[in-house]
Amino acid sequence: MIDSSFWQLCVLCQTQTEELLVCPLDNPVVSVRKEAYKEIINISNQFRKIGCSPHPGIELPDEESMHKNRACWHKSCRQLYRASALERDETNAADHSFQKVTLTQHIRNKAVALGEEHIVALLAEGDLVAIDAKYHRNCYTKFNRRYDLITKKETITENQEVKVENELLQFIKEEVIGGRSIFALQDLADMMTERLLQHGIKKIVNRTRLKQTILDKFPNLIEEKGIRDRVFLICSSTARKFISSATQTPDQESHTLLIAASILHKAVVDHKNKFMFDGSFPEDCEESSVPKQMKYFFRQLLTGP
């Protein structure tokens, strides 16, 4: 149990000086009061991880205890725990060439969270020392700030949306690699809406913004309008012709569906390898009992042309 005298001194240095103590709970800014103790504990732990704690002999209590006892500190001590001081010490510890291999994982994790594929790909070639990585101080600072923004509580919803969007982009990428060439924008928007709901986010996806995001990410995709102004994203001339030929009036579309139904019905009736149950199932009964026209139809229906 922490002695009561602990709370009468600066919780950071535990030293009696002439400097006045400051309690963050007296700060008029609500956000500062709310996050003060959590922030100092977090940044203190980060200093400890790199072995550069301004007060290595002092271990901070938990956030609840600090709130309960109105923990105070010297303003000069608190300044030693600025984010800029941490960045400076991290840089010095890495000797400006990222000589600590642990920093490689640190940056890789942030790059994954930020969707920086080029950084992830670069680090896949080896650790920062092995690839002789160099950086601009300002770029590294901005990189960390971007990561800090997406880790704050008030941006959790936004982060989930970015995550779902990245998942959708990855899905499109994998589908294109697999040979798919047509994507209905409405279907993609519905997929993203459903995924957001799974994260507890009720939101109507802006299709125009989603379309632009996809087109920016995949320059080989182009926009094409089909029947009833449905928007498709396609990536081949064959797919473009398919969309164009599918643009029909409702009457024409009904006629086409009737013809398709007739073709499939005739294929089923005329199929030579009809399965007749005689008490057992042949090894290839499932495969041989379905007409090839029916297989083709359902393959196109499920995966697209």
Side-chain angles (χ1 to χ4, degrees):
M1 184 175 179
I2 299 176
D3 189 87
S4 59
S5 61
F6 178 91
W7 305 108
Q8 297 173 9
L9 300 173
C10 168
V11 293
L12 300 177
C13 72
Q14 282 294 291
T15 302
Q16 179 71 50
T17 70
E18 295 181 358
E19 184 178 354
L20 295 178
L21 294 176
V22 177
C23 179
L25 297 181
D26 294 332
N27 195 298
V29 181
V30 177
S31 60
V32 173
R33 294 201 304 269
K34 182 179 178 181
E35 299 293 333
Y37 294 131
K38 181 178 180 179
E39 182 177 311
I40 190 63
I41 292 173
N42 179 52
I43 198 167
S44 175
N45 289 336
Q46 291 184 61
F47 271 105
R48 286 180 176 276
K49 285 181 180 179
I50 62 174
C52 297
S53 175
H55 304 99
I58 306 299
E59 184 173 350
L60 292 179
D62 60 84
E63 182 181 358
E64 183 179 352
S65 297
M66 294 178 78
H67 265 286
K68 181 179 179 180
N69 293 279
R70 293 180 60 84
C72 300
W73 48 60
H74 296 128
K75 185 175 180 180
S76 60
C77 290
R78 180 62 183 86
Q79 289 178 341
L80 297 175
Y81 291 85
R82 296 192 307 272
S84 58
L86 175 62
E87 290 176 3
R88 182 191 65 240
D89 287 348
E90 284 182 331
T91 302
N92 291 337
D95 193 25
H96 297 283
S97 61
F98 297 106
Q99 293 182 359
K100 286 192 175 181
V101 177
T102 53
L103 191 57
T104 302
Q105 188 62 44
H106 177 71
I107 293 178
R108 181 186 288 112
N109 291 341
K110 289 187 177 182
V112 170
L114 293 169
E116 294 288 356
E117 294 183 359
H118 66 288
I119 296 180
V120 176
L122 181 65
L123 295 181
E125 299 176 7
D127 61 60
L128 293 165
V129 177
I131 62 177
D132 194 23
K134 300 184 186 302
Y135 66 99
H136 294 122
R137 182 185 294 272
N138 289 342
C139 294
Y140 183 61
T141 300
K142 290 178 181 178
F143 177 81
N144 284 319
R145 286 176 179 171
R146 285 175 55 208
Y147 177 78
D148 290 340
L149 284 175
I150 69 168
T151 56
K152 288 184 180 296
K153 284 186 177 181
E154 53 267 30
T155 61
I156 288 180
T157 298
E158 181 181 348
N159 295 343
Q160 291 290 4
E161 291 180 18
V162 172
K163 180 181 177 181
V164 170
E165 186 174 273
N166 286 336
E167 289 177 352
L168 181 64
L169 294 175
Q170 183 63 27
F171 165 79
I172 294 174
K173 180 179 179 180
E174 292 174 356
E175 289 291 295
V176 170
I177 292 175
R180 185 171 176 179
S181 56
I182 300 177
F183 300 87
L185 181 61
Q186 183 60 57
D187 293 344
L188 296 176
D190 289 344
M191 286 175 60
M192 186 168 178
T193 299
E194 182 178 356
R195 186 63 174 146
L196 287 171
L197 280 173
Q198 293 175 0
H199 288 286
I201 303 173
K202 296 182 179 180
K203 178 180 179 179
I204 298 177
V205 176
N206 186 311
R207 286 180 294 173
T208 300
R209 194 192 72 80
L210 177 61
K211 177 187 68 177
Q212 193 56 52
T213 298
I214 295 172
L215 293 177
D216 289 343
K217 182 69 175 180
F218 303 101
N220 59 318
L221 290 178
I222 63 172
E223 176 186 357
E224 192 77 37
K225 286 189 177 181
I227 189 169
R228 300 189 188 93
D229 288 332
R230 288 196 72 192
V231 176
F232 295 84
L233 302 177
I234 62 179
C235 62
S236 72
S237 57
T238 302
R240 191 179 304 114
K241 291 178 181 178
F242 177 86
I243 294 297
S244 178
S245 63
T247 304
Q248 302 175 331
T249 65
D251 288 341
Q252 290 173 326
E253 188 179 42
S254 298
H255 181 67
T256 300
L257 292 174
L258 181 61
I259 293 175
S262 299
I263 292 173
L264 293 174
H265 180 265
K266 185 175 185 303
V268 173
V269 172
D270 296 343
H271 188 51
K272 296 179 180 180
N273 297 325
K274 292 182 180 178
F275 173 66
M276 300 295 291
F277 183 67
D278 59 1
S280 63
F281 294 97
E283 184 176 346
D284 63 342
C285 65
E286 293 183 357
E287 183 71 22
S288 62
S289 62
V290 180
K292 63 180 181 180
Q293 295 95 327
M294 188 69 73
K295 296 177 187 175
Y296 178 79
F297 171 75
F298 279 104
R299 183 166 61 250
Q300 298 300 308
L301 184 65
L302 293 173
T303 63

